Amino acid sequence: MTRHFRRAALAALLLSTAAPAAPSRLAGELDATELAARVAKERGKVVLVNFWASWCLPCREEFPALVRLQDRLSSQGLSVIGVSIDTTSQIPAVEKFLGETKPSFPNYRKKSGGDDGEFIDAVDKSWGGELPFSVLYDRAGKKARVLSGPRTEKDFEKEIRALLK
């Protein structure tokens, strides 16, 4: 066996036994049009879309409440969708945060590029870009409520239950 062949065989063995890369906790990227289509797929449910970032302390503080609400109210018709506005370089922090909070709902990342102002206006013209920011849709898929700034679990639950009736 030549030295080169032994090195190649050893390298192949090491690669085959290395731990596989952790699967992404992000469901993908989306732009405003794709977000609207994703919300439309949930017609018949109350949908809460939450915009957040890994570096946003109020976002990180309210996120566990969304996880608990989804777990508790999904059987009654709630569907939560998370949208991170983090940049590509911040994906490791996003993945770490999602690994720690273990949401049972999908989380996407806003597609890079394009005009952020156009994205914001497409989501809601009253949105000034502040985080956290949430939009509630009724069972018909109509925008029912816009929630700007951090909210408590109780605040979210009150708004959601009114639409679940």
Side-chain angles (χ1 to χ4, degrees):
M1 202 182 272
T2 68
R3 175 185 272 171
H4 177 71
F5 180 77
R6 283 187 293 211
R7 283 187 187 165
L10 179 60
L13 176 65
L14 290 173
L15 285 174
S16 68
T17 58
S24 176
R25 290 178 175 88
L26 285 168
E29 294 184 337
L30 37 71
D31 59 21
T33 302
E34 293 163 328
L35 175 59
R38 181 68 183 84
V39 170
K41 286 171 87 173
E42 298 296 321
R43 190 154 285 139
K45 296 180 181 179
V46 171
V47 179
L48 171 66
V49 180
N50 177 256
F51 297 89
W52 63 278
S54 63
W55 46 263
C56 168
L57 184 58
C59 301
R60 294 174 65 88
E61 289 173 346
E62 88 174 5
F63 199 87
L66 301 176
V67 173
R68 289 188 298 273
L69 287 166
Q70 172 68 27
D71 291 346
R72 200 169 67 246
L73 300 176
S74 64
S75 63
Q76 296 174 45
L78 174 65
S79 180
V80 177
I81 299 170
V83 180
S84 164
I85 59 91
D86 286 276
T87 63
T88 302
S89 66
Q90 295 164 326
I91 289 177
V94 172
E95 294 285 356
K96 181 179 181 210
F97 178 69
L98 292 174
E100 292 167 353
T101 55
K102 298 177 179 41
S104 58
F105 53 86
N107 278 271
Y108 298 87
R109 190 172 70 87
K110 179 197 158 295
K111 272 190 182 170
S112 298
D115 184 333
D116 287 341
E118 286 178 19
F119 179 84
I120 288 169
D121 285 347
V123 170
D124 191 272
K125 291 201 184 295
S126 72
W127 185 19
E130 65 278 4
L131 293 174
F133 187 81
S134 298
V135 181
L136 267 168
Y137 296 85
D138 65 18
R139 291 182 186 270
K142 181 181 173 203
K143 189 182 303 180
R145 190 90 164 89
V146 172
L147 306 168
S148 181
R151 305 290 172 173
T152 66
E153 186 170 346
K154 188 176 179 179
D155 293 339
F156 277 120
E157 188 166 0
K158 179 182 175 189
E159 298 292 342
I160 292 165
R161 286 201 180 274
L163 295 172
L164 286 173
K165 292 180 180 180

